Amino acid sequence: MFNSNISLPYFDKLLEQFHQGDAQTLQAFGRHVHWGYWENPNQTDGSVTDFTVAAEQLCRRVCNAGRMKDGDHLLDVGCGFGGTIASLNERFSNMVLVGLNIDDRQLTRARSEIQAKQFNQIEFVQGDACQLPFEDSSFDVVLAVECIFHFPSRQRFFQEAKRVLKPGGRLALSDFVPRSLAYHLINWQVMKSPVEQTYGQVNSRFTLNDYRRLAKQTGFILLQQEDITANTLPTYPVVKRIFGQIGGKTEEKSTAQVELASRLGLLRYQILSFQSV
Ligand SMILES: C[S@@+](CC[C@H](N)C(=O)[O-])C[C@H]1O[C@@H](n2cnc3c(N)ncnc32)[C@H](O)[C@@H]1O
């Protein structure tokens, strides 16, 4: 059995706010719980509406990296409230769309919000990214949008993704990746505590070279690597404002620390995709 006893303080806060009927938090995070992508980061008005459009854009960029098509079987690991599945359901047909999450509370919301259309089939399954409850060679595409840093082991997740993917299948993900040279400059002992109090267990110490090595070890080739840090920066004022309102100083501070590391170029927001060989 997997251990579902994971601490995700930010999801506790979000669910509490949804329960209280907080319209702003619901608008910002009711579908996607990830950063935004702005094609032109100078053109942002700082509003929640603008942020939700950008969050959908980020989802679509990760999906594009997975190169899916109508009829594919797709697994979205760490699926949050099912926003990526909802987006694919609106844009593709005849797909088998499976969302997996360790936190059943999020799946309850996903199941109640998303109805299959365009001959798609949708299922939400509780489970751990590192022990996928699926048969070998079941999927054409595996996605992990902004969640791999929570997983107990990237190596175990890649092994599992390789196992459940059909030969030639794709794995696409987004992650906060430290620049290898800058890695030792990041004072993780200072950042670690507020970040974990807000976001729970996070490992953002896996470099691009680590990904290259891991892909080789686990039977993948790197298809695409895109640094979109600059396009995500308008996220921070919005998230700091909302987290400041619903959380408090720790939430604001931890998000500001991630922002500083990103603005200094120490932490890069990367979209990566791999093909199973
Ligand atoms: C930042 S949220 C991203 C959610 C979603 N991918 C999105 O983009 O809206 C991180 C997600 O990872 C999930 N998660 C964390 N650890 C996990 C694990 N070991 N297995 C599966 N899901 C996990 C969390 O419950 C949460 O839904």
Side-chain angles (χ1 to χ4, degrees):
M1 270 298 283
F2 66 90
N3 174 18
S4 63
N5 243 346
I6 177 176
S7 163
L8 296 163
Y10 64 125
F11 274 97
D12 299 343
K13 285 260 158 61
L14 292 180
L15 287 161
E16 193 184 307
Q17 292 305 118
F18 293 176
H19 187 66
Q20 288 174 15
D22 172 351
Q24 176 181 255
T25 307
L26 198 53
Q27 188 192 358
F29 298 114
R31 178 170 161 115
H32 299 296
V33 185
H34 57 230
W35 280 187
Y37 176 93
W38 284 261
E39 191 63 50
N40 183 348
N42 297 320
Q43 271 174 19
T44 165
D45 63 13
S47 68
V48 172
T49 303
D50 183 51
F51 172 66
T52 55
V53 172
E56 176 65 23
Q57 288 312 312
L58 189 137
C59 153
R60 291 185 183 204
R61 283 198 91 83
V62 182
C63 289
N64 290 347
R67 303 181 187 180
M68 68 276 302
K69 57 183 185 323
D70 289 339
D72 276 355
H73 290 212
L74 178 139
L75 172 64
D76 181 26
V77 181
C79 68
F81 297 125
T84 299
I85 298 278
S87 173
L88 291 165
N89 184 38
E90 289 153 15
R91 297 182 290 123
F92 291 87
S93 61
N94 294 297
M95 291 188 92
V96 173
L97 298 167
V98 181
L100 177 119
N101 202 325
I102 200 150
D103 180 2
D104 205 34
R105 301 170 305 170
Q106 296 172 46
L107 296 177
T108 301
R109 177 176 164 80
R111 287 186 193 108
S112 72
E113 291 293 309
I114 303 163
Q115 274 78 46
K117 47 174 108 166
Q118 302 178 141
F119 305 104
N120 294 316
Q121 293 171 49
I122 297 183
E123 194 186 354
F124 289 102
V125 178
Q126 189 183 16
D128 186 337
C130 295
Q131 283 174 264
L132 295 176
F134 306 107
E135 302 279 315
D136 297 0
S137 304
S138 339
F139 296 100
D140 301 284
V141 181
V142 172
L143 300 177
V145 184
E146 211 174 297
C147 49
I148 196 167
F149 44 78
H150 282 313
F151 299 168
S153 154
R154 283 178 176 80
Q155 176 162 24
R156 188 77 195 120
F157 169 61
F158 265 60
Q159 287 166 341
E160 282 291 84
K162 168 79 183 169
R163 181 181 66 74
V164 303
L165 275 170
K166 298 174 189 172
R170 277 93 51 214
L171 165 64
L173 59 91
S174 63
D175 193 11
F176 297 93
V177 179
R179 288 227 333 255
S180 46
L181 275 176
Y183 164 59
H184 293 292
L185 297 173
I186 302 175
N187 189 341
W188 284 105
Q189 287 319 310
V190 175
M191 280 187 70
K192 199 170 147 65
S193 168
V195 166
E196 287 191 352
Q197 279 172 45
T198 303
Y199 296 103
Q201 191 70 34
V202 167
N203 175 347
S204 286
R205 280 164 286 171
F206 209 74
T207 65
L208 218 43
N209 276 339
D210 293 331
Y211 269 114
R212 288 197 185 99
R213 262 193 300 273
L214 178 60
K216 219 170 177 182
Q217 275 169 13
T218 50
F220 285 100
I221 51 163
L222 181 62
L223 279 182
Q224 182 184 333
Q225 174 237 322
E226 195 186 5
D227 180 342
I228 60 161
T229 313
N231 307 86
T232 63
L233 293 177
T235 300
Y236 291 97
V238 185
V239 171
K240 278 190 302 185
R241 193 173 73 233
I242 298 174
F243 276 16
Q245 284 162 9
I246 70 174
K249 286 274 164 260
T250 308
E251 284 77 2
E252 223 181 316
K253 184 176 168 192
S254 57
T255 309
Q257 286 176 333
V258 180
E259 176 180 19
L260 183 63
S262 303
R263 288 194 188 279
L264 292 175
L266 302 178
L267 205 55
R268 316 296 303 180
Y269 196 111
Q270 301 269 1
I271 294 178
L272 299 166
S273 72
F274 306 88
Q275 185 158 30
S276 170
V277 287

